[in-house]
Amino acid sequence: MRVHACPVRFYYEKNELVTESDRYAICKQISYHLGNSLEADAVWDEVLTVRPATDPALREFLDICIASCRKHNWKPAAQTDVTVVSQKHGIAGMIDRVAEDGTFSIVRAAGAMPFGTYVSDRLRIAGIALCLEEMTGKEVAGGHVEYIPDGISRYHVVQPRDRRQLLTTLHKIRAIHRGEAPVHPLNAPCNRCKFKERCDESGGHRLSELL
């Protein structure tokens, strides 16, 4: 997902450890209870057991998430945290929740769009579908994205464009790991990037011209 957003940023931070946020940890813990009783105190205790240093002020965020999730019906998970792998494409991922009927979901700590799903979520669904198809030998049409803060689950049908974007992103990742310098994309999210100043100083040149 980071490479798709901006391969140059990934190049700069590819050796940095990526950790989940407190907000994601809260949403993830709530997801284990979807389809069953949602008891805020019990879930908060679980969050603190998993991440003892969680900011106490985020208890309000947990209450908001649970209040939103209580407004809708959810399928309980038959399995959680299921690892999927594609040997052919050299990728692996994790499904957050698998329902009894075999449908799967990924959990997001972000609010939902008015309609549809984010590009990054569509790519994750496409990647998981690719892995599942290789593992099961069956076609996978799509999957659910669960936006916990809004209590919304959206089903995304994997499109050919999703698969094309996924394959293009995988080619970029392999090129970067081979030592090739990525090209700065025109629509990169520069305004919220910690490397913005570094890129601005380069005048928008290729990374290979800076190193």
Side-chain angles (χ1 to χ4, degrees):
M1 299 311 100
R2 289 184 295 151
V3 171
H4 177 75
C6 181
V8 175
R9 176 175 176 173
F10 175 79
Y11 187 95
Y12 284 135
E13 63 184 13
K14 65 181 184 295
N15 294 321
E16 295 182 9
L17 181 64
V18 178
T19 58
E20 67 181 36
S21 68
D22 285 346
R23 289 169 66 93
Y24 176 79
I26 289 170
C27 291
K28 178 73 171 178
Q29 208 62 41
I30 291 173
S31 75
Y32 292 118
H33 296 269
L34 294 176
N36 299 295
S37 176
L38 281 171
E39 300 297 334
D41 289 341
V43 177
W44 181 247
D45 285 344
E46 292 175 0
V47 169
L48 294 181
T49 298
V50 175
R51 293 174 68 91
T54 300
D55 185 352
L58 287 175
R59 171 58 198 264
E60 182 180 358
F61 173 69
L62 179 141
D63 291 336
I64 291 171
C65 291
I66 287 183
S68 297
C69 290
R70 282 176 175 164
K71 297 177 182 178
H72 303 276
N73 294 322
W74 302 84
K75 294 179 182 178
Q79 298 182 69
T80 58
D81 300 333
V82 179
T83 300
V84 292
V85 179
S86 169
Q87 298 292 342
K88 177 180 178 180
H89 297 284
I91 59 175
M94 181 177 291
I95 301 173
D96 292 308
R97 300 190 335 116
V98 180
E100 192 67 42
D101 60 7
T103 57
F104 72 88
S105 307
I106 60 173
V107 170
R108 287 297 316 275
M113 298 173 64
F115 302 97
T117 54
Y118 297 100
V119 173
S120 59
D121 297 333
R122 296 198 295 268
L123 287 183
R124 285 185 64 193
I125 294 294
I128 290 171
L130 202 66
C131 292
L132 284 174
E133 288 175 346
E134 184 175 321
M135 294 171 66
T136 65
K138 299 178 181 178
E139 183 178 354
V140 177
H144 296 270
V145 184
E146 297 174 340
Y147 299 99
I148 302 300
D150 289 338
I152 292 175
S153 177
R154 293 223 171 110
Y155 185 77
H156 176 66
V157 177
V158 178
Q159 303 294 323
R161 67 179 180 182
D162 301 323
R163 294 177 185 265
R164 285 194 293 268
Q165 288 180 329
L166 177 62
L167 291 176
T168 298
T169 301
L170 292 176
H171 290 318
K172 290 179 181 178
I173 293 172
R174 295 185 186 109
I176 290 172
H177 284 304
R178 288 196 302 267
E180 298 179 23
V183 177
H184 194 283
L186 294 176
N187 60 344
C190 298
N191 290 335
R192 58 180 186 271
C193 179
K194 62 183 177 182
F195 300 109
K196 184 179 186 302
E197 183 177 343
R198 188 171 178 181
C199 284
D200 286 346
E201 289 175 353
S202 75
H205 295 161
R206 291 172 178 264
L207 199 58
S208 56
E209 300 173 2
L210 311 180
L211 304 176

